[in-house]
Amino acid sequence: MSKPALMRRMQEIAHVDINCFYASAERAFNPALEGKPLIVLSNNDGCAVTRSPEAKKLGIGVGDPWFKIAPRAKEWGLIAMSSNYELYGDISLRVMELLRRYSAWQEVYSIDEAFLGVKGSPEHLLDLGRTIKEACRKHVGVPVCVGIAPTKTLAKLANKWAKHNPAFNGVCRWDSVPADQREALMSRLSVIEIWGIATRLTKRLNAIGIFSILDLVRADPVKLRDKFSIVVMRTVLELQGTPCIPMEEEQIGRDQLIFSRSFSTPITTAAQLRQVLSVYGQMASARLAKHDLQAKLLTAYAATSVYNPNDKSFPTVTVRLPMPTSDPVLLTKAAHALVPKFQEGTKYAKAGIMVTDLRPTGNQKPLEIFENRHEERGIGPLLEQVSKRYGRGSIGLGHAGIRGGPDWSMKRGLLSPRYTTRWDELPLVKAA
């Protein structure tokens, strides 16, 4: 069935979004955090990336550095947690699996939100939204809000309304709200609140007299297409109730994969860089193999901190691989081409690799003399299987297998237990 035909059969679209996802995931296994100001920090415990409603009331903003917040944390009763990516990923998978019970068509849009194709009477759709909300809280332990509307853009707006208006109790069906109330809401909200409208586009719209969402709804979509783009035209039509953004299958293939991270401790030697690149090469191999993809181009780079006035170095190298591959040996060797450009003694704060020109595995069969014996033997998938069974760092190729743990790895000094992905960190239940 074509996507337009599918959209005609779907009466409406539900947008399900997990509230303050990282904070909610932490609270799911630690109820003592409920009602307390809580923030989750970025890589290396750098800055706040998620804030509970209580933390927002303290005036803490997204991106506020932890070293500035920390001195007042005790005074505020503020609790800070390191990013527990293993836990968040597993909680996300559980929520998405649960949502599949309520619709045959699901689009996982991000780690904490999804669209569902839904049908039924207005009363049935509201009941379905409440059922989804209660099921996520009961079976996974996280709160969600549900917005239901004829289009994806309106469903996102309905969800935002449900989240910030207690009268909806977390579930809003757009067309069930009187038209005058919908218009009053849209007249109060800036166009930047709309999905897909960023700061630069907002300024351009403001320049022609479009300030509120209602202004955008009442604009001529064809004229906006001619002045801006087809994307803006689709947004206007979606706000007017005409579906223009189809439901998409989960995107497995990607144009590129990037593996990069800032270091908890700067690296200063070529040996450290080799280990970093070896680890990232192995990670890239595992991700490519998981999605049956191969890469033809690899770019490796390193960078000093922008806040370091003494060291300024940004080496980069791009290597065209002899054939499309997901082999960890070839990817690691290609990444190591960056090492000769590395300046010993310079404090590098970040490094990474990017693989591009991706294509399905087996799409281009190499001549026998060019076949890679490591790839034929499945070295990459084997390493991933061992890592899944015995944990990350249990095995590695060359420098990636050095024991003892690199001192450049991510700092997570406030990490909570990885309750659902590590046997030795399972939650304990004690009966009186």
Side-chain angles (χ1 to χ4, degrees):
M1 183 181 297
S2 68
K3 288 176 181 175
L6 178 65
M7 292 181 70
R8 286 194 295 271
R9 290 190 59 183
M10 293 188 306
Q11 183 172 326
E12 297 196 26
I13 294 173
H15 176 249
V16 184
D17 180 50
I18 306 174
N19 303 341
C20 301
F21 176 46
Y22 289 0
S24 294
E26 296 288 352
R27 286 172 166 175
F29 287 90
N30 188 354
L33 298 174
E34 291 284 353
K36 296 181 179 179
L38 170 67
I39 60 172
V40 177
L41 303 173
S42 62
N43 293 345
N44 299 318
D45 296 341
C47 60
V49 292
T50 296
R51 306 154 299 150
S52 70
E54 298 83 3
K56 293 177 183 177
K57 290 179 181 178
L58 294 173
I60 298 172
V62 172
D64 285 357
W66 172 235
F67 75 87
K68 290 186 177 180
I69 303 171
R72 300 195 65 185
K74 187 174 182 180
E75 172 192 344
W76 289 335
L78 178 68
I79 300 169
M81 312 290 291
S82 299
S83 294
N84 192 337
Y85 297 116
E86 297 89 340
L87 176 64
Y88 308 152
D90 188 65
I91 293 292
S92 174
L93 290 173
R94 293 176 185 229
V95 171
M96 301 310 165
E97 177 63 31
L98 179 63
L99 294 180
R100 292 190 187 101
R101 302 178 187 178
Y102 301 101
S103 175
W105 235 108
Q106 178 192 49
E107 176 186 340
V108 178
Y109 184 69
S110 70
I111 191 173
D112 61 348
E113 58 182 320
F115 292 101
L116 304 175
V118 294
K119 294 186 69 175
S121 66
E123 295 76 15
H124 169 77
L125 292 175
L126 281 170
D127 286 341
L128 177 63
R130 297 184 187 108
T131 299
I132 290 173
K133 176 177 177 288
E134 293 168 2
C136 289
R137 187 63 165 172
K138 178 180 179 181
H139 298 298
V140 187
V142 293
V144 304
C145 284
V146 184
I148 303 171
T151 71
K152 292 171 79 171
T153 303
L154 284 176
K156 291 267 287 186
L157 184 58
N159 190 303
K160 185 187 292 286
W161 202 0
K163 188 171 295 185
H164 297 288
N165 189 333
F168 290 113
N169 195 27
V171 179
C172 172
R173 180 179 175 270
W174 184 255
D175 287 345
S176 294
V177 181
D180 60 333
Q181 293 184 29
R182 299 199 305 262
E183 288 195 357
L185 171 75
M186 291 190 291
S187 68
R188 295 194 303 268
L189 294 179
S190 165
V191 287
I192 201 171
E193 299 291 338
I194 285 296
W195 179 38
I197 304 292
T199 304
R200 183 177 298 178
L201 181 55
T202 296
K203 292 179 179 178
R204 294 180 64 195
L205 289 168
N206 292 167
I208 62 171
I210 296 177
F211 295 93
S212 71
I213 295 175
L214 189 60
D215 293 335
L216 191 61
V217 171
R218 291 174 173 172
D220 185 331
V222 176
K223 290 182 178 179
L224 290 180
R225 178 201 62 189
D226 295 339
K227 188 170 184 62
F228 296 99
S229 68
I230 188 69
V231 175
V232 177
M233 177 183 176
R234 288 173 181 164
T235 298
V236 175
L237 290 173
E238 286 251 324
L239 288 170
Q240 294 173 349
T242 302
C244 297
I245 306 175
M247 294 282 285
E248 299 283 356
E249 295 183 15
E250 184 177 1
Q251 297 298 308
I252 295 177
R254 297 174 174 84
D255 295 329
Q256 62 185 23
L257 292 176
I258 300 175
F259 297 86
S260 177
R261 186 167 292 162
S262 297
F263 307 133
S264 58
T265 302
I267 64 172
T268 58
T269 68
Q272 290 175 311
L273 180 65
R274 287 192 187 93
Q275 187 178 19
V276 172
L277 297 174
S278 298
V279 170
Y280 290 165
Q282 185 172 316
M283 292 170 64
S285 169
R287 186 73 60 82
L288 289 169
K290 178 181 178 180
H291 297 303
D292 291 321
L293 292 172
Q294 295 178 319
K296 192 70 171 62
L297 203 66
L298 181 144
T299 299
Y301 55 90
T304 53
S305 172
V306 295
Y307 301 107
N308 184 347
N310 300 318
D311 294 328
K312 297 293 180 183
S313 179
F314 308 94
T316 182
V317 65
T318 298
V319 179
R320 180 162 291 278
L321 300 163
M323 66 195 77
T325 182
S326 61
D327 173 37
V329 176
L330 290 181
L331 293 176
T332 299
K333 285 183 177 179
H336 284 178
L338 179 67
V339 175
K341 297 187 177 185
F342 185 87
Q343 297 178 9
E344 288 276 353
T346 298
K347 295 181 178 180
Y348 287 90
K350 186 176 184 178
I353 67 170
M354 175 174 65
V355 289
T356 53
D357 193 2
L358 307 186
R359 56 196 72 185
T361 298
N363 192 42
Q364 181 178 337
K365 182 70 175 176
L367 296 174
E368 185 174 352
I369 60 173
F370 295 112
E371 286 184 351
N372 177 17
R373 66 181 186 276
H374 301 114
E375 201 145 31
E376 293 297 318
R377 294 174 181 174
I379 298 298
L382 175 62
L383 291 171
E384 182 64 10
Q385 291 172 16
V386 173
S387 296
K388 282 185 175 180
R389 182 168 183 177
Y390 297 104
R392 295 291 173 189
S394 59
I395 190 172
L397 288 171
H399 293 273
I402 295 175
R403 304 299 296 175
D407 58 8
W408 50 263
S409 59
M410 184 170 55
K411 173 186 175 184
R412 293 194 287 182
L414 302 169
L415 183 67
S416 59
R418 289 155 289 190
Y419 299 102
T420 61
T421 58
R422 298 291 181 98
W423 286 107
D424 58 344
E425 297 180 23
L426 287 173
L428 300 177
V429 178
K430 298 180 181 180

